[in-house]
Each structure stands twice: as C-alpha cells, then as structure tokens.
Amino acid sequence: SSGINAEYGGLKGCKCLVKKQAMYLPVVGWYMWFTDYLFLCREWVKDQGAIQRIAKIWANYRPTDISNYYVLCAEGTRFTPAKHKASIAFARERGMEPFRHVLYPRT
C-alpha cells in the first residue's frame, strides 16, 4: 500500500511522533520540525504542552489538504539473554511459538 500512497502523493501528509532528540538530526530533523511532526520527551509533564500545541496545528489542516497519516512506532527494549528467556516462558504459557531474535510484547 505504501507504493500506492507514494504514487498518488499520500505520504506527503505522513506525521510521526518521535523522540525529541530526532529534531537535532541534520536535514531530517529540520524537515520533521518544519512539517509539524510531534517531538516527545517521554515525560508527561513536559509532553503535555507539546501535544496540545501540535493538536491545535493538526486540527487546523483543511479537509481539502493532503490526507494525513499519524504514525506512532512502539519503542523496543534491549535484547538480553534474561529478557529472551522470560519472553520464551511468556510465549509457552500462552501456547505461542517463541521468537528466536525478538521479544514478545507483553501489554
């Protein structure tokens, strides 16, 4: 589907929620800043104002503007032997096939 979106211009409106440190990446970070991406510190007290600010900006997009996609990429954790062992146990308790190279999400 991303090929279709790119062909018809749909990805021009892609918006992501990213770590605040990403804004300091040369060119890419600047692009995200100027195109209204949401930068998060991962602390509610600090992020609440940023979320309210960007929500107002996003709410003002006209319906005739390019369709927007809002992307949130779940953050992972470091893969360690202990965490992998716990992941295998979690999977087996639920009758699932254990992964070899990634951990099961436990939410």
Side-chain angles (χ1 to χ4, degrees), residues 18-25 38-42 47:
V18 296
K19 284 185 177 182
K20 188 171 184 172
Q21 292 88 340
M23 81 168 52
Y24 302 108
L25 293 170
L38 174 56
F39 296 95
L40 299 174
C41 299
R42 296 173 39 213
D47 291 336

Side-chain angles (χ1 to χ4, degrees), residues 14-16 18 31-33 35-39 54 58:
C14 182
K15 303 292 181 208
C16 295
V18 296
Y31 168 81
M32 290 188 290
W33 175 261
T35 56
D36 299 327
Y37 280 50
L38 174 56
F39 296 95
I54 205 72
W58 288 351

Side-chain angles (χ1 to χ4, degrees), residues 6-91:
E7 180 70 25
Y8 294 99
L11 291 179
K12 292 178 185 173
C14 182
K15 303 292 181 208
C16 295
L17 289 73
V18 296
K19 284 185 177 182
K20 188 171 184 172
Q21 292 88 340
M23 81 168 52
Y24 302 108
L25 293 170
V27 182
V28 175
W30 306 333
Y31 168 81
M32 290 188 290
W33 175 261
F34 289 119
T35 56
D36 299 327
Y37 280 50
L38 174 56
F39 296 95
L40 299 174
C41 299
R42 296 173 39 213
E43 292 180 36
W44 175 248
V45 174
K46 294 180 181 178
D47 291 336
Q48 187 175 9
I51 292 168
Q52 291 171 344
R53 180 189 65 81
I54 205 72
K56 289 177 185 176
I57 291 170
W58 288 351
N60 287 324
Y61 289 153
R62 294 187 324 245
T64 57
D65 287 344
I66 296 170
S67 296
N68 290 294
Y69 298 89
Y70 301 98
V71 181
L72 175 61
C73 299
E75 186 172 323
T77 186
R78 298 199 192 282
F79 186 94
T80 65
K83 290 178 184 176
H84 187 234
K85 186 177 178 180
S87 178
I88 290 171
F90 177 83

